[in-house]
Amino acid sequence: MDGYRQITGSHISVTVLKLTYDVFIDDADRQWLSDFFFVHIIRGVKDDNRHPLNEESAAIAVDRFANKVHLTHDFHLDGDWYIDIGIELSSPLGQCLQWSTASHSSVVEDILQIPPHHASRITSHSSSKYSRDLVSHLSDVSGFRIEPGPQAAGPFQAIYIQAYTTDKSLTSNNEGQHHAKFIEATEALQQIQPSVIISSLHDIYTQAKEKNASKARLEVRVPWMLGKTVLTTLSYDIFMNGLYSFTREEWWELRIMRLFAISNLLGLQSLGPTHKRFSPGSLLLTAACVWLMNSLHARPDDGPSSRDLMDAALPVRVAADVLDSQLAYPTSIGETNMHKIAYIPFGCVFFRRMVCGEVPRLRMGGPLLPSKSFHYFFKADIDELRRTYQTSGFLDDSVVRQNRFTTSKGKLPIYHRFGSPEPELFAFATEGDELYQPVIDDGSDVEECPHTPVNRADSDDEPQGIDAQLSQLWRQFVSDLTAKSPNPRGGGIRPSYMKLTPEQRYSGSEDPYKSLRLYEIFTDVWYKNASEEEWDVCFNNLFPPIGFVSTTRRQGYKPSPYYQDWMVMLEQNRDNADLVKRIRDGFRERMFTWEWMPKAESDKMWTTSAKKDGKRAFMCWPVKEDREAAPFILLEKNAVPIFAPPEDEDMGVNDS
């Protein structure tokens, strides 16, 4: 900072630093400190040292800067000191200036005064020290950053040179790990689109169209003593030929148009059914839109995961046939390189072919994101995403705009049993029934690359039949229902109402529901013998029919994998109502073999409040004077609950 020394992140003024050295450090300390070295960085003075473009003015400006930051006249003799010298170019007509990609070599040649072959070498995409900063998705419009190296440092001994434009400052981000406004993939998956970031960018671009003309800047880092001569003798023709000029309306309208296209795609995706929204091709397009949007106003990410994304989402071509200016990221393009790589064939970044059905996606048959890169963008695997952003049968709270009781959103595990296969619990296949095969849409590429359902356990398994799928769904239901049994309030001090161990809860076993020994299952419970009609109400809440829609604030339902799978199955089979009815009848028949079930209500899977109307018919065990909270269950109409082992005395009931 101006007039300060920066040491390990702390700002220390010159006065304090000198006082500390003179007063608190003795001769012994000075000997001990003799091998220490400090890195001094002085920032924030770029706009304080402007001067005309000639050597005399440059020398005066450099000396003035040294005095202003309290550097002695011979400071540069001790250690290595470098200075960044820059030039700023603006349009007298108020137009937007942008660097031409084709000019990088000639600009570097002129600025560093190096031979053409060196300039060409260090501005090649295959150079590891050269970074091309694509602007607004245009391959012919880009800035650059280069570390020339000893052979191309030139007479000014430059160690770094960069060219950029000032329009980046409008979207800069001073907080977090990203230097510019940044949208996460999780925001792109939200049901409400456009997101806050997208709306913010649209406002920025719209305002910039009226008053912001980008300027072109070029900076070079050289040894201190050469800072008075670098950038003082320049060829104006280089800049005239090396810069594009756009009207403000042209430049910012391009960004608005691209932003609008990306936002529309994400909006269309958010409206589609879950089983199509979370297909690999759709999610690949989502990740590509996120990458493209973040590249609109900042340097495109070209790390390993983003390269995987570009290879999957952009057009590809044999590397030997790709021009250097068409490369999407730095890579080798020798004549013998027959690997296919992502490239930009039309001067602007476009995706490969898409299918715009109910949910826009990239065409099938192309590469998909590897699992590691998928996790980089979405911070989860595809099953976790589907469970987190499930929308089938739900209206998002922000859509309905209603205040409701906040429910638990804890994740539940997917039911899976290792070892020998479990028996199938249903026999629909013998009647010739089969569940809808979830093809993604009716695009022509579906016929070329037919889609088959994938099992949760292993994507290499054979697709499951209807009975295996429904058996898995039922066991998942039992596991989720038991795992969602409520706990008493009290900050985790009181034990759970249900005595089962975690292993028993997640086992998928129906045994607890077929037992009347309630003392083995509960610490406290409200119960009553219920009619078949009352059981039907609970069953309908647990397995709603086709067309059912609710808010996401259904306590216990939304986080349960079984419920999400059920709602997706209803959506996929909405044209096969007869099959869905028979499946529900089969589930109902199996549930009605239980001795008891939770009193599942429309807004919660388990209810515990004993003070609401309609609960007077329930009896409490153990007997308590007050109507304290505990799980409510419905017994089979003729069932007789057991509250103690045979040798113990009956503890009684409370029918108050």
Side-chain angles (χ1 to χ4, degrees):
M1 300 303 170
D2 189 4
Y4 285 79
R5 304 293 190 269
Q6 185 170 338
I7 301 176
T8 64
S10 299
H11 296 157
I12 303 175
S13 71
V14 174
T15 303
V16 172
L17 188 61
K18 188 175 186 304
L19 179 65
T20 301
Y21 187 83
D22 292 340
V23 176
F24 297 103
I25 299 179
D26 56 23
D27 291 338
D29 289 327
R30 289 187 178 91
Q31 184 176 1
W32 175 67
L33 292 170
S34 61
D35 293 330
F36 275 42
F37 69 91
F38 294 87
V39 176
H40 302 268
I41 301 177
I42 303 172
R43 294 194 179 101
V45 294
K46 180 180 298 183
D47 294 326
D48 291 342
N49 297 281
R50 294 177 178 267
H51 60 84
L53 195 61
N54 59 69
E55 192 167 330
E56 181 180 358
S57 297
I60 294 173
V62 170
D63 290 338
R64 183 173 63 243
F65 164 72
N67 291 331
K68 188 172 184 178
V69 296
H70 309 290
L71 297 175
T72 61
H73 70 282
D74 59 351
F75 74 94
H76 58 278
L77 300 178
D78 187 14
D80 297 322
W81 291 81
Y82 294 87
I83 185 171
D84 290 350
I85 303 295
I87 182 173
E88 181 178 276
L89 301 108
S90 60
S91 165
L93 301 178
Q95 294 194 316
C96 296
L97 300 182
Q98 296 291 329
W99 291 102
S100 162
T101 303
S103 72
H104 290 183
S105 178
S106 57
V107 169
V108 169
E109 178 185 345
D110 185 69
I111 296 298
L112 301 185
Q113 298 182 16
I114 58 177
H117 68 279
H118 279 318
S120 178
R121 175 178 58 82
I122 65 174
T123 55
S124 168
H125 232 336
S126 59
S127 172
S128 62
K129 301 299 184 181
Y130 168 67
S131 296
R132 187 178 295 169
D133 298 342
L134 221 63
V135 181
S136 297
H137 305 156
L138 300 172
S139 59
D140 289 333
V141 181
S142 66
F144 62 80
R145 288 170 291 129
I146 305 173
E147 295 178 30
Q151 291 184 323
F156 299 110
Q157 302 173 37
I159 63 170
Y160 183 77
I161 181 173
Q162 67 171 339
Y164 63 99
T165 53
T166 58
D167 49 358
K168 288 185 177 181
S169 62
L170 298 178
T171 54
S172 63
N173 177 32
N174 297 324
E175 300 178 0
Q177 59 179 333
H178 302 288
H179 297 298
K181 289 186 180 296
F182 191 87
I183 183 174
E184 298 282 359
T186 50
E187 295 175 71
L189 292 173
Q190 298 294 338
Q191 201 170 351
I192 301 301
Q193 294 294 336
S195 69
V196 174
I197 291 292
I198 295 176
S199 298
S200 171
L201 286 173
H202 181 269
D203 292 342
I204 290 172
Y205 294 163
T206 302
Q207 294 172 16
K209 188 171 61 173
E210 303 299 326
K211 57 184 179 181
N212 287 94
S214 59
K215 301 174 183 179
R217 285 179 175 174
L218 188 141
E219 296 174 0
V220 58
R221 183 169 299 163
V222 297
W224 176 268
M225 292 305 296
L226 297 175
K228 299 179 180 181
T229 55
V230 70
L231 295 184
T232 56
T233 56
L234 301 175
S235 169
Y236 285 94
D237 289 340
I238 292 295
F239 294 114
M240 292 295 291
N241 296 326
L243 290 168
Y244 291 118
S245 178
F246 303 89
T247 66
R248 290 195 303 272
E249 185 171 357
E250 289 171 339
W251 183 246
W252 294 107
E253 277 290 351
L254 171 64
R255 291 201 184 184
I256 292 173
M257 179 177 64
R258 302 285 286 182
L259 180 71
F260 186 74
I262 297 169
S263 178
N264 266 6
L265 272 178
L266 296 178
L268 289 172
Q269 286 191 323
S270 71
L271 299 175
T274 298
H275 67 284
K276 295 181 180 180
R277 176 70 184 90
F278 290 91
S279 68
S282 173
L283 289 172
L284 173 59
L285 180 58
T286 303
C289 284
V290 168
W291 174 84
L292 196 66
M293 182 172 297
N294 291 329
S295 304
L296 193 55
H297 50 268
R299 181 179 183 274
D301 182 0
D302 61 358
S305 295
S306 292
R307 294 188 183 194
D308 286 340
L309 176 70
M310 286 185 268
D311 286 339
L314 302 187
V316 295
R317 193 174 187 179
V318 172
D321 297 331
V322 177
L323 301 176
D324 183 80
S325 61
Q326 296 177 325
L327 287 174
Y329 55 81
T331 188
S332 172
I333 53 172
E335 294 181 358
T336 60
N337 189 345
M338 294 294 108
H339 293 292
K340 288 188 175 181
I341 59 173
Y343 78 125
I344 307 171
F346 307 113
C348 187
V349 177
F350 289 99
F351 297 146
R352 60 181 176 86
R353 294 177 65 187
M354 292 189 295
V355 174
C356 292
E358 282 187 280
V359 176
R361 61 172 174 80
L362 291 171
R363 282 176 59 90
M364 299 174 68
L368 296 173
L369 277 176
S371 58
K372 187 175 181 179
S373 298
F374 186 96
H375 201 280
Y376 170 81
F377 285 101
F378 293 105
K379 309 298 186 291
D381 62 34
I382 193 168
D383 273 344
E384 290 175 313
L385 283 182
R386 188 176 63 80
R387 292 195 296 273
T388 301
Y389 296 97
Q390 164 72 283
T391 59
S392 297
F394 293 102
L395 290 177
D396 191 271
D397 298 322
S398 54
V399 177
V400 296
R401 304 295 185 189
Q402 293 178 345
N403 294 321
R404 298 184 184 273
F405 181 76
T406 302
T407 60
S408 171
K409 297 179 176 61
K411 293 182 179 179
L412 294 178
I414 298 300
Y415 175 83
H416 182 75
R417 182 173 177 176
F418 297 94
S420 58
E422 294 181 285
E424 294 177 350
L425 305 178
F426 305 96
F428 289 93
T430 59
E431 302 295 327
D433 291 323
E434 61 179 1
L435 290 172
Y436 172 83
Q437 299 298 303
V439 294
I440 297 178
D441 51 41
D442 56 358
S444 60
D445 58 326
V446 174
E447 297 178 3
E448 301 166 11
C449 302
H451 175 78
T452 54
V454 178
N455 298 332
R456 288 186 184 278
D458 190 341
S459 60
D460 294 329
D461 290 347
E462 290 296 321
Q464 293 180 330
I466 182 173
D467 295 332
Q469 292 181 64
L470 294 179
S471 298
Q472 166 70 20
L473 177 59
W474 180 262
R475 292 186 174 105
Q476 184 71 58
F477 157 66
V478 176
S479 174
D480 293 347
L481 185 67
T482 312
K484 276 297 178 182
S485 60
N487 294 319
R489 293 184 179 181
I493 300 175
R494 298 176 60 188
S496 298
Y497 290 123
M498 188 172 273
K499 294 180 177 180
L500 303 182
T501 65
E503 291 77 12
Q504 291 172 318
R505 289 171 182 256
Y506 296 132
S507 68
S509 172
E510 298 173 75
D511 291 346
Y513 301 98
K514 295 183 177 182
S515 172
L516 288 170
R517 296 189 297 273
L518 300 187
Y519 68 92
E520 295 180 344
I521 302 171
F522 294 103
T523 60
D524 304 83
V525 66
W526 288 91
Y527 67 96
K528 80 166 188 175
N529 294 93
S531 66
E532 188 172 308
E533 289 75 16
E534 290 176 295
W535 275 59
D536 273 332
V537 171
C538 294
F539 174 80
N540 289 334
N541 287 328
L542 293 167
F543 289 98
I546 289 177
F548 176 82
V549 176
S550 77
T551 70
T552 54
R553 292 186 178 272
R554 300 191 74 210
Q555 187 174 348
Y557 293 101
K558 181 65 168 66
S560 299
Y562 101 85
Y563 195 80
Q564 298 178 12
D565 290 343
W566 175 254
M567 300 308 292
V568 170
M569 195 194 78
L570 293 184
E571 184 178 64
Q572 292 175 341
N573 294 273
R574 60 183 180 271
D575 296 329
N576 198 349
D578 181 64
L579 174 61
V580 172
K581 180 182 182 302
R582 284 186 282 114
I583 291 173
R584 293 183 76 242
D585 289 344
F587 282 5
R588 178 183 181 277
E589 181 180 349
R590 189 169 186 90
M591 182 178 287
F592 276 42
T593 64
W594 293 358
E595 296 289 355
W596 64 271
M597 68 180 297
K599 188 181 185 305
E601 298 185 348
S602 60
D603 61 342
K604 56 179 67 69
M605 190 178 288
W606 289 77
T607 183
T608 58
S609 176
K611 297 181 179 180
K612 293 183 179 180
D613 294 338
K615 303 290 181 66
R616 294 294 175 181
F618 285 82
M619 295 176 285
C620 179
W621 176 84
V623 176
K624 296 180 181 178
E625 294 183 4
D626 298 327
R627 295 183 63 83
E628 295 183 5
F632 279 72
I633 65 171
L634 302 180
L635 298 176
E636 194 272 330
K637 62 181 179 180
N638 297 317
V640 179
I642 302 171
F643 296 108
E647 64 273 13
D648 292 347
E649 294 184 2
D650 187 357
M651 298 182 65
V653 299
N654 176 14
D655 59 0
S656 59

